[in-house]
Amino acid sequence: MPDDAAPPTDFIREIIDDDLATKKHTCVATRFPPEPNGYLHIGHAKSVCLNFGIAAQYGGTCNLRMDDTDPSGESLEFVQSIIADVRWLGFDWADRLFYASDYYERLYDYAVKLIESGRAYVCDLSPDEMRQYRGTLTEPGRESPSRGRSIGENLDLFRRMQAGEFEDGSRVLRAKIDMASPNVVMRDPVIYRIKRAAHYRTGMAWVIYPMYDFAHCLSDYLEGITHSICTLEFENNRPLYDWVLDQLVEGERPEQIEFARLNVSYTILSKRRLIDLVEKGEVDGWDDPRMPTVAGMRRRGYTPEAIRAFCAKIGIAKNENLVDIGLLEHCVRGDLNEKAPRVMAVLHPLPVVIDNYPEGRVEEFACANHPQNPEMGTRQVPFSRVLYIEREDFEETPPKKYRRLAPGREVRLRGAYVVRFAAAVRDASTGEVQEIHCTYDPETKNGPPADGRKVEGVIHWVSADHSIPAEVRLYDRLFRVADPAGVEGDAMEYLNPASLEVLKGCRVEPSLLAGKPGSRYQFERIGYFCIDLKDSSGERLVFNRIVPLRDSWSKIAGQAPG
Ligand code: ATP
Ligand code: MG
């Protein structure tokens, strides 16, 4: 477990402290139990950090368990992505990778035991009838006509359910609890159903599958879990979790604790909706850099340290709320500010000719890779007569406080000389500035002008002949409303059409040729960027914008909410 900060405290850790003090438990064993029916997202990352973090803090263990008890939608691809993502986040489960599907045999035996003790029965009601019989929050349910079946008949029918004698949906196994319970969950819940679908691990060996409420508590028990941490929507299911264990097991048992799931603004954290985005082609797969998935954030260039810092910062709560995505970006910026080497890249190149700089001459400037960290060293950046600067670093009629290049003005080219504007060359038909001319002051290589005149602005640049062409992808919020999950109607209608902008003609300094896919940099004065893991190659450099240097969004969003 990575050592990021002092261990936090929260209501879950208080419960654990209590349990250890009262000897209810003598050790701490947690688990992270994803269903392999999609990629992990930032909400899962929170649960990963919580479960593995608690285990490490208390000297306990955390299992990785594939909660794969529903054949539809589960796959090996998802299992592999989950393994890769949890590992990338920085956590280690040693040899404790488990699959709920490995427990099918034992779960079946538990179900038989439940029938034998008269606490489960095979029910013939159709799904519709079952709904009608269930009652409502204000009215009690009615007992199924199948409820009085003998143990022998139930055992026989359950065996035949698994033998494939009955149609999907024609019969279920139900726990016999209390149809009048004020908690609807306890009104004889279904614990097994018939489903003919190939499971990615067990194939067609089983045609009956256990329901979550039956499988989860027993899986926890079989693994010796002490604290089974899950999200709030399972709060009403806790009595059932305990009921199943009460009927079937003895001795030390796991306890379920619920916390509020993470919601992040301008994105969506529901696997079903993320699958939709992928399948409808709204994004370039699960690892599209705009996706809130761990794979997407990795490709975007986020670091595991930043994601862990975010999860620690938001803490654990009992009430759902919406966390500002700006906080996640703040954590990313904070981490990269320390780690990312500085380089120069020009996204919208404007050619600049230094008229008094000799043609053919090239100087190499040693530029610091990090202004505060000399240990990160320097690199050589070539300077020549023709350069590129950002289009927006030149203004013919500059606004107040503009400290860049303009008629009559001087600026410093970062790490190189002070240059003075001389002339602008325009396109004859459009009038657009195509190129500018400057003169340089040879005395300013190692310091300010000798005559003491002030040069305030500093801009970045690259040498035209030496720079490398690159594609740069600018990412923005995936949705244009803060809470897409909370809007009426289809969230997909609120996708941000400007969430991806591709810039083709960018120029970057030649040191970037040595970069590897995934390498992260600060493009000076612009933001943090990384070399794309998928599309970048030696011939065609592709960068993703991880996060701009400063947050421009909150200002804009503040002006026009939604
Ligand atoms: P979804 O609702 O997106 O389909 P899920 O809860 O069904 O997600 P699981 O694979 O069952 O997905 O989740 C694995 C674990 O991660 C569970 O313990 C679940 O409680 C936790 N988890 C899922 N989403 C979040 C979230 N947004 N915040 C915190 N924990 C989460
Ligand atoms: Mg789930």
Side-chain angles (χ1 to χ4, degrees):
M1 147 84 183
D3 177 27
D4 292 321
T9 189
D10 51 58
F11 76 93
I12 296 181
R13 287 165 166 96
E14 280 164 17
I15 292 173
I16 295 175
D17 288 338
D18 229 47
D19 288 348
L20 293 173
T22 60
K23 302 241 167 23
K24 180 173 175 186
H25 296 290
T26 50
C27 64
V28 173
T30 59
R31 85 286 172 265
F32 173 64
E35 182 180 2
N37 62 349
Y39 278 59
L40 298 185
H41 53 58
I42 182 78
H44 294 116
K46 172 171 176 170
S47 178
V48 168
C49 290
L50 178 63
N51 281 292
F52 281 92
I54 283 179
Q57 183 184 338
Y58 289 91
T61 52
C62 180
N63 298 352
L64 177 58
R65 180 198 313 146
M66 300 300 156
D67 206 359
D68 53 359
T69 53
D70 180 353
S72 49
E74 296 175 356
S75 75
L76 193 60
E77 178 199 344
F78 293 136
V79 167
Q80 287 165 341
S81 74
I82 290 167
I83 289 175
D85 288 349
V86 178
R87 195 164 278 152
W88 179 77
L89 283 171
F91 299 99
D92 183 18
W93 50 91
D95 57 353
R96 293 180 313 277
L97 169 60
F98 299 112
Y99 294 84
S101 53
D102 283 346
Y103 307 143
Y104 282 171
E105 202 73 51
R106 277 187 276 181
L107 295 173
Y108 182 88
D109 292 343
Y110 276 125
V112 167
K113 215 171 141 188
L114 209 54
I115 297 172
E116 284 170 347
S117 65
R119 299 225 160 78
Y121 62 97
V122 172
C123 179
D124 303 346
L125 291 179
S126 70
D128 259 352
E129 291 169 323
M130 218 147 56
R131 250 188 304 281
Q132 287 162 20
Y133 273 73
R134 189 177 299 134
T136 63
L137 286 177
T138 49
E139 278 170 55
R142 282 177 293 140
E143 296 188 351
S144 160
S146 310
R147 204 176 199 257
R149 271 192 171 128
S150 71
I151 290 175
E153 196 184 351
N154 280 319
L155 285 172
D156 177 57
L157 286 171
F158 186 53
R159 187 187 50 74
R160 288 164 61 196
M161 277 170 66
Q162 163 57 7
E165 289 188 27
F166 311 122
E167 294 293 302
D168 287 17
S170 62
R171 290 195 154 98
V172 292
L173 184 69
R174 297 175 72 174
K176 195 190 268 187
I177 309 180
D178 178 7
M179 288 308 291
S181 170
N183 182 351
V184 181
V185 171
M186 299 299 273
R187 295 182 187 168
D188 290 10
V190 175
I191 56 178
Y192 264 93
R193 63 193 163 141
I194 306 170
K195 188 163 186 170
R196 282 178 179 74
H199 187 276
Y200 76 103
R201 290 185 86 234
T202 56
M204 295 300 287
W206 294 85
V207 295
I208 58 171
Y209 289 94
M211 303 301 286
Y212 175 90
D213 287 317
F214 187 69
H216 204 89
C217 52
L218 288 166
S219 304
D220 284 343
Y221 172 77
L222 290 171
E223 292 176 18
I225 300 304
T226 56
H227 298 86
S228 178
I229 301 168
C230 65
T231 38
L232 274 183
E233 66 269 24
F234 293 102
E235 199 169 14
N236 288 336
N237 301 53
R238 191 185 339 137
L240 180 52
Y241 184 103
D242 291 334
W243 184 90
V244 171
L245 293 177
D246 283 344
Q247 313 310 312
L248 293 170
V249 308
E250 292 186 343
E252 194 173 328
R253 65 177 57 192
E255 63 181 290
Q256 174 180 305
I257 308 171
E258 309 87 19
F259 71 101
R261 62 194 293 120
L262 169 66
N263 302 297
V264 177
S265 63
Y266 296 101
T267 192
I268 244 166
L269 300 183
S270 132
K271 267 192 255 181
R272 187 174 54 76
R273 289 209 162 103
L274 295 177
I275 288 170
D276 246 23
L277 286 171
V278 171
E279 287 182 349
K280 291 191 176 136
E282 301 286 1
V283 292
D284 172 26
W286 285 99
D287 64 351
D288 184 298
R290 292 166 292 180
M291 289 281 270
T293 52
V294 174
M297 293 188 287
R298 172 168 60 236
R299 187 167 167 207
R300 173 81 166 254
Y302 287 15
T303 60
E305 293 82 359
I307 294 172
R308 294 199 302 263
F310 170 73
C311 292
K313 238 186 197 62
I314 56 180
I316 304 300
K318 277 190 199 173
N319 303 316
E320 288 223 9
N321 64 345
L322 190 61
V323 174
D324 187 348
I325 197 169
L327 182 61
L328 176 57
E329 293 172 347
H330 171 81
C331 293
V332 172
R333 226 176 258 125
D335 189 38
L336 293 179
N337 180 40
E338 285 178 23
K339 285 184 192 152
R342 275 50 173 169
V343 293
M344 291 195 282
V346 175
L347 303 194
H348 300 95
L350 175 65
V352 176
V353 181
I354 315 285
D355 290 328
N356 58 340
Y357 196 83
E359 212 141 346
R361 180 163 161 198
V362 180
E363 278 178 276
E364 297 269 345
F365 289 104
C367 294
N369 289 332
H370 196 290
Q372 281 91 44
N373 184 359
E375 278 175 22
M376 285 176 71
T378 60
R379 68 198 186 281
Q380 299 297 115
V381 182
F383 182 92
S384 67
R385 186 165 190 268
V386 185
L387 311 169
Y388 291 119
I389 64 167
E390 292 294 345
R391 261 184 192 278
E392 64 170 30
D393 283 339
F394 169 72
E395 280 292 345
E396 288 208 277
T397 45
K400 263 197 192 137
K401 293 196 179 157
Y402 189 79
R403 294 217 178 84
R404 308 176 220 172
L405 205 54
R409 302 251 187 117
E410 281 186 304
V411 286
R412 174 169 292 278
L413 298 174
R414 165 139 311 158
Y417 298 105
V418 169
V419 296
R420 176 181 292 280
F421 176 84
V425 180
R426 294 164 197 290
D427 182 290
S429 54
T430 66
E432 198 195 8
V433 174
Q434 273 186 318
E435 177 183 292
I436 58 174
H437 287 251
C438 290
T439 56
Y440 86 113
D441 178 349
E443 306 301 315
T444 55
K445 183 165 160 179
N446 295 313
D451 60 10
R453 69 186 192 279
K454 280 234 154 37
V455 179
E456 286 188 328
V458 180
I459 64 175
H460 62 276
W461 53 275
V462 295
S463 163
D465 278 348
H466 303 87
S467 59
I468 314 293
E471 175 178 319
V472 174
R473 297 173 181 172
L474 304 179
Y475 298 103
D476 202 344
R477 313 290 196 237
L478 187 51
F479 288 87
R480 58 195 163 79
V481 291
D483 185 13
V487 295
E488 271 188 42
D490 187 2
M492 296 299 172
E493 305 206 344
Y494 296 89
L495 281 168
N496 175 7
S499 60
L500 169 63
E501 184 187 352
V502 179
L503 306 177
K504 297 270 189 191
C506 312
R507 309 288 304 195
V508 301
E509 61 167 74
S511 74
L512 285 168
L513 269 185
K516 307 251 178 321
S519 296
R520 305 177 182 91
Y521 304 92
Q522 185 193 97
F523 287 1
E524 294 221 36
R525 301 178 60 232
I526 304 176
Y528 295 97
F529 293 78
C530 78
I531 300 184
D532 188 64
L533 287 165
K534 258 192 178 166
D535 297 338
S536 195
S537 67
E539 292 84 64
R540 179 169 164 254
L541 273 178
V542 178
F543 289 90
N544 296 320
R545 182 170 69 192
I546 307 169
V547 64
L549 269 193
R550 269 174 236 311
D551 179 12
S552 56
W553 182 272
S554 52
K555 254 189 276 164
I556 299 165
Q559 284 160 13

